[in-house]
Amino acid sequence: MCGRMADKFLFQYRDGLEKRVKSHRMGVPSNSIKKMPLPQKLSPLHFIVILVAIIASVLLVLWLKPERAGTMRPVAPTRVVTTEVAQTDLRPSYRVTGQLAPMQRAALHFEVAGRLVARHVEPGQRVQAGEVLLELDAGDYSDAVRLARAQLQQEQATVARDSELLRLAIESRELQQQEVKRLQRLGSESLTSQSRLDEARQKLGQLAAEAVRLEYAVNTAGARISQRRVDLARAERNLARARLSAPFAGVINRVEAEVGEYMQSNRTVVELLDDSKLDLALEVSGAVAAALRPGQSIAVQLDGRDIEGTLVALQSEPDSSTHTHALRVRIEAPGLMPGTLADVLLPLSPQRGVLVVPVPALLHDAGDSYLFTLEGDTVRRVAVDTGIRDGERQVVRGNIAAGTTIVARDVAALADGQRVEAR
């Protein structure tokens, strides 16, 4: 609609101008001709309407313009870098990175409870084996030792008394037995003798019972004394446990106890590290673990220098979740700090006459490995089995032969049967 209004306005303006020019050429006075109304001055709205109409017309023409028919161009072959499958002898090694840790680490805690009265060490301080680190209030434990010692002495005295009483009881029983025999010889005619005989027999029974009781006390004296000695030894150990000592020489890493604080027996208060030697904890596959043995020398690279380590531990059965074998390499080098990263070169079993390819030439898909062989100007995907890896070379086995041309890298974008241009 805006376009039609603009066209009508322009047409009326052009028609009026043509009539005035024609009358002027014929000599007709201009005042005798009916004056045509001149167009009024264009307002900004008119300019906007005209501009919109022009833009709409251009867009309409572009939209109705027929499309040019596309031309099909042949797809250029993919450029690939090739190499050949090589057959060689290998003395491979497996590089793995680990973190140095102290040879020994102990989380120390009190074996008895009590209030802390002395703290003798701070983090970073070096201590010797047996050196006292922390102390508890030992009053109750000292009293327990004195009580146990007194009970042991009392028991020993009781045993000595019972032994003497048993000796006397045995003598009295023998004398009473003789008295009973004497009264029996007097006969049974005398009423007085019979009464005295009954009394003697009754007293003999009492002496025999007392002798049995004392004999039992003497026979079990060793067990009672042993029990008292055990109580004394336990009390002495608890008294010694009120002082926390270093089990080995090392450096204090953490102290989590303050003087006046009540210590529970299950709370770790001191962490002690033995950093005289450092261990490198690693995890390797079964193929790598099979080529190692405890005690062999291992090359370690640390801060640009080569250090010799010793394989001190090797897990025989793999971890059930990671299927890897844990091992530890011990390093004895002054000045090393725990937490430093180090590279370890683990020697593997020698390989003779094996096929090797560059590691980037392998395509791993759904757990399987593939190589792309070159046949003319196309590639074929060939499944292979992989062996050990030696740096940037990978041992392969399967339907592949030495000297076969393969794609050396950038194989993720290739497909079986794809045309390529080899370089």
Side-chain angles (χ1 to χ4, degrees), residues 261-324:
E261 190 176 358
Y262 189 82
M263 299 287 101
Q264 297 290 344
S265 58
N266 59 350
R267 172 186 167 186
T268 299
V269 291
V270 176
E271 186 179 39
L272 179 63
L273 307 179
D274 182 4
D275 58 352
S276 59
K277 299 179 182 178
L278 297 178
D279 284 351
L280 198 60
L282 306 169
E283 292 186 358
V284 297
S285 63
V288 177
L292 303 175
R293 66 184 185 280
Q296 75 178 102
S297 297
I298 303 295
V300 180
Q301 295 179 350
L302 179 64
D303 294 336
R305 17 174 215 163
D306 295 332
I307 303 174
E308 184 178 353
T310 304
L311 182 62
V312 295
L314 177 62
Q315 184 181 15
S316 300
E317 185 178 358
D319 186 83
S320 58
S321 58
T322 62
H323 304 288
T324 57

Side-chain angles (χ1 to χ4, degrees), residues 100-333:
L100 294 178
M103 177 183 67
Q104 192 173 4
R105 181 191 303 265
L108 306 180
H109 61 84
F110 285 103
E111 298 181 52
V112 294
R115 194 166 304 280
L116 189 68
V117 296
R119 169 174 168 167
H120 302 293
V121 292
E122 296 297 334
Q125 181 177 340
R126 291 198 170 273
V127 295
Q128 299 299 321
E131 184 175 341
V132 178
L133 310 178
L134 303 174
E135 290 187 57
L136 297 178
D137 183 4
D140 293 341
Y141 302 108
S142 298
D143 293 342
V145 170
R146 287 193 291 270
L147 177 61
R149 186 175 289 116
Q151 290 175 343
L152 175 60
Q153 294 173 354
Q154 183 179 2
E155 193 66 43
Q156 291 172 338
T158 301
V159 170
R161 181 203 64 185
D162 290 345
S163 298
E164 182 64 19
L165 290 176
L166 176 61
R167 185 183 65 79
L168 296 175
I170 292 175
E171 292 178 356
S172 298
R173 184 183 62 182
E174 291 176 351
L175 292 174
Q176 191 64 25
Q177 287 176 348
Q178 294 175 3
E179 178 67 15
V180 170
K181 291 179 181 179
R182 187 182 68 79
L183 292 175
Q184 286 176 344
R185 285 196 301 269
L186 291 177
S188 60
E189 295 79 6
S190 174
L191 181 61
T192 304
S193 298
Q194 184 64 36
S195 175
R196 291 178 61 186
L197 178 61
D198 292 340
E199 292 177 355
R201 287 175 174 173
Q202 183 178 6
K203 188 174 181 181
L204 177 60
Q206 294 174 351
L207 292 174
E210 180 66 14
V212 170
R213 186 185 68 80
L214 292 173
E215 187 176 2
Y216 170 79
V218 172
N219 291 337
T220 59
R224 297 199 307 275
I225 290 177
S226 297
Q227 182 178 358
R228 294 303 182 185
R229 285 175 176 169
V230 169
D231 294 340
L232 175 59
R234 182 184 298 111
E236 290 175 343
R237 287 195 300 270
N238 287 338
L239 176 61
R241 288 165 180 164
R243 307 174 73 189
L244 187 63
S245 303
F248 52 84
V251 60
I252 301 296
N253 190 43
R254 288 187 297 119
V255 180
E256 298 181 353
E258 299 295 338
V259 174
E261 190 176 358
Y262 189 82
M263 299 287 101
Q264 297 290 344
S265 58
N266 59 350
R267 172 186 167 186
T268 299
V269 291
V270 176
E271 186 179 39
L272 179 63
L273 307 179
D274 182 4
D275 58 352
S276 59
K277 299 179 182 178
L278 297 178
D279 284 351
L280 198 60
L282 306 169
E283 292 186 358
V284 297
S285 63
V288 177
L292 303 175
R293 66 184 185 280
Q296 75 178 102
S297 297
I298 303 295
V300 180
Q301 295 179 350
L302 179 64
D303 294 336
R305 17 174 215 163
D306 295 332
I307 303 174
E308 184 178 353
T310 304
L311 182 62
V312 295
L314 177 62
Q315 184 181 15
S316 300
E317 185 178 358
D319 186 83
S320 58
S321 58
T322 62
H323 304 288
T324 57
H325 299 256
L327 59 89
R328 284 188 294 117
V329 178
R330 183 155 297 168
I331 303 172
E332 187 173 2

Side-chain angles (χ1 to χ4, degrees), residues 2-54:
C2 295
R4 290 197 299 269
M5 292 175 59
D7 293 343
K8 183 178 179 181
F9 178 79
L10 292 175
F11 176 75
Q12 291 178 355
Y13 179 75
R14 186 182 61 184
D15 187 49
L17 288 178
E18 289 179 353
K19 289 182 178 180
R20 295 184 63 180
V21 172
K22 184 178 181 181
S23 60
H24 178 71
R25 290 178 178 177
M26 294 176 62
V28 180
S30 59
N31 55 3
S32 63
I33 302 174
K34 186 178 179 181
K35 294 184 177 179
M36 297 296 296
L38 295 176
Q40 299 179 357
K41 186 178 180 181
L42 296 179
S43 64
L45 178 61
H46 292 159
F47 281 110
I48 295 175
V49 171
I50 295 172
L51 181 60
V52 171
I54 294 173

Side-chain angles (χ1 to χ4, degrees), residues 394-413:
Q394 178 73 55
V395 175
V396 296
R397 297 179 296 271
N399 190 19
I400 196 77
T404 303
T405 302
I406 60 172
V407 179
R409 56 184 175 86
D410 301 330
V411 295

